[in-house]
Amino acid sequence: MLSYRGYGLSEGKPNEKGINVDAQTALDYILHHPILRHTKLMAFGQSLGGAVALNLVSKNEDKFDALIIENTFLSMTLLIPHALPALRHLVYLCHQTWRSYRAIQNIHRIPILFLSSLKDELVPPAHMAKLYDISHTTGEKVWKEFENGTHNDTCMQHGYFEAIAEFGRNNVWDLD
């Protein structure tokens, strides 16, 4: 787990470039650590974290064994009209774009689990559905939706942890 710049106890101001640097730095640390470098890696991101995970995996796919994204948006510019309708005509001013729809198209082989809350009040569930549709990985693609889940309570929905465990058993962990 990582606290990006400006989050948790990390200093600095969050921005797209800096957060992506933070994620890459964390991955590089893991890949060079004498113990951690021998472990299988699964990227997991929720909302903005999903955009970060997609970007990181798209640039380092050979280092990862799987990816999980939860309630993640297509891009910030496509999210703004839904999340902040009053600003829909000013989207062109947004300089932090987080183009998840581009990043996912650069992931070709690893399995991906899509966790989508159908009552997400921030990220329209259609964003997750579109990410699923445009993903062309040769790895397993798993869609799991939560009928009563909202943006921040997906992990409290029935079957959430079971879906992750099954995905991990089928794609990452050797439990034999």
Side-chain angles (χ1 to χ4, degrees):
M1 300 202 85
L2 167 68
S3 285
Y4 311 118
R5 61 189 68 209
Y7 289 89
L9 299 177
S10 295
E11 297 178 359
K13 291 189 175 214
N15 61 60
E16 185 172 5
K17 182 180 178 184
I19 289 173
N20 283 326
V21 166
D22 294 343
Q24 184 66 54
T25 300
L27 176 61
D28 292 344
Y29 174 83
I30 291 167
L31 295 175
H32 293 96
H33 190 277
I35 296 171
L36 297 177
R37 70 178 179 211
H38 301 293
T39 62
K40 292 186 174 189
L41 295 179
M42 180 181 344
F44 187 126
Q46 190 264 349
S47 194
L48 174 61
V52 176
L54 282 163
N55 182 68
L56 184 66
V57 172
S58 74
K59 293 178 178 175
N60 300 276
E61 185 175 6
D62 61 320
K63 309 292 190 249
F64 286 92
D65 297 288
L67 169 64
I68 301 173
I69 58 172
E70 176 183 324
N71 299 333
T72 300
F73 47 83
L74 289 164
S75 75
M76 194 60 73
T77 54
L78 293 171
L79 177 64
I80 288 171
H82 174 79
L84 302 165
L87 300 179
R88 70 185 175 277
H89 299 297
L90 301 175
V91 167
Y92 68 93
L93 295 173
C94 182
H95 59 277
Q96 295 189 48
T97 56
W98 294 103
R99 293 182 176 116
S100 298
Y101 67 88
R102 285 194 182 160
I104 202 162
Q105 293 178 33
N106 293 319
I107 299 171
H108 303 289
R109 66 160 187 82
I110 66 169
I112 306 172
L113 172 60
F114 298 79
L115 302 170
S116 181
S117 288
L118 299 184
K119 292 185 179 175
D120 190 326
E121 69 286 2
L122 184 58
V123 176
H127 281 231
M128 282 291 289
K130 183 70 172 176
L131 287 172
Y132 180 86
D133 289 342
I134 64 176
S135 168
H136 297 293
T137 184
T138 58
E140 182 180 23
K141 278 181 20 175
V142 178
W143 176 263
K144 177 68 175 168
E145 60 187 36
F146 301 93
E147 184 178 340
N148 295 310
T150 63
H151 189 69
N152 289 313
D153 74 355
T154 311
C155 66
M156 296 178 355
Q157 301 306 305
H158 178 72
Y160 177 85
F161 290 105
E162 292 81 1
I164 293 170
E166 181 177 350
F167 178 75
R169 277 192 304 273
N170 292 341
N171 296 289
V172 182
W173 305 305
D174 295 321
L175 299 176
D176 296 331

